[in-house]
């Protein structure tokens, strides 16, 4: 496919939800992969509706390089840290009432995301025809993570009245 088609497909599959790749990055990456001889540029035989478009195909070296990269341990040993956790860590410096407002905003955001991801999951299953596909598993994990965070937010909301600053000198007596 050519770069425009790649961008359309990324949009259709909502890839930008889980992979940080912009439209310009697609074109930059295609050019870089051609320079590295991991992709080859071929003349598009279809009539162009604008500037001349090239179709890209993977090379044998490109497939080997990708397979090697997918064997790397770093895919399985990293953790992402959501910005909301940074906010929680700094929240003791926020104005009065900000903590409750932000918890409520986060809950509303996650509820909307949960609904959107559930619709995406239904679309994926309809497209691939079965629930045993990597796209299904990826979206299913996202849904489960959202559900866990929603339960955790409810716990925090219930415990909010007990929120207190850190005690110098360590643990409270009842935890020794």
């Amino acid at each position: 496919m050519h770069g425009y088609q790649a961008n359309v497909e990324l949009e259709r599959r909502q890839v930008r939800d889980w992979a940080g790749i912009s439209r310009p990055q697609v074109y930059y990456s295609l050019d870089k992969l051609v320079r590295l001889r991991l992709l080859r540029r071929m003349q598009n035989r279809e009539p162009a509706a604008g500037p001349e478009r090239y179709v890209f195909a993977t090379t044998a070296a490109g497939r080997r390089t990708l397979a090697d990269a997918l064997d790397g341990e770093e895919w399985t040993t990293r953790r992402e840290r959501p910005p909301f956790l940074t906010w929680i860590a700094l929240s003791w410096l926020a104005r009065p009432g900000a903590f409750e407002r932000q918890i409520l905003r986060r809950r509303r955001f996650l509820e909307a995301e949960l609904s959107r991801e559930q619709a995406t999951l239904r679309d994926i299953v309809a497209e691939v025809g079965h629930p045993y596909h990597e796209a299904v598993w990826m979206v299913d994990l996202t849904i489960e993570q959202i559900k866990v965070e929603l339960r955790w937010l409810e716990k925090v909301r219930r415990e909010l009245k007990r929120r207190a600053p850190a005690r110098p000198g360590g643990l409270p007596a009842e935890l020794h």
Side-chain angles (χ1 to χ4, degrees), residues 49-149:
E52 193 169 350
R53 292 193 175 131
Y54 292 98
V55 175
F56 297 91
T58 55
T59 63
R63 288 186 294 279
R64 271 192 316 276
T65 301
L66 178 58
D68 291 346
L70 290 173
D71 255 346
E73 183 179 346
E74 66 275 6
W75 291 100
T76 61
T77 56
R78 284 197 244 159
R79 289 178 46 204
E80 299 300 319
R81 288 165 181 82
F84 188 67
L85 289 182
T86 302
W87 181 87
I88 291 273
L90 297 172
S91 68
W92 65 277
L93 297 166
R95 290 184 182 94
F99 196 93
E100 295 90 340
R101 283 191 303 278
Q102 294 295 63
I103 293 292
L104 180 60
R105 285 177 182 147
R106 182 70 179 170
R107 190 184 86 217
R108 281 191 293 229
F109 167 76
L110 289 173
E111 288 169 344
E113 287 296 292
L114 179 61
S115 178
R116 190 174 65 79
E117 292 292 349
Q118 288 169 331
T120 298
L121 182 60
R122 286 189 298 274
D123 291 345
I124 291 169
V125 171
E127 182 176 329
V128 301
H130 60 86
Y132 310 106
H133 186 273
E134 56 274 6
V136 172
W137 295 327
M138 290 168 57
V139 175
D140 188 49
L141 175 60
T142 300
I143 288 169
E144 292 304 315
Q145 289 170 330
I146 292 170
K147 288 177 178 179
V148 166
E149 188 173 343

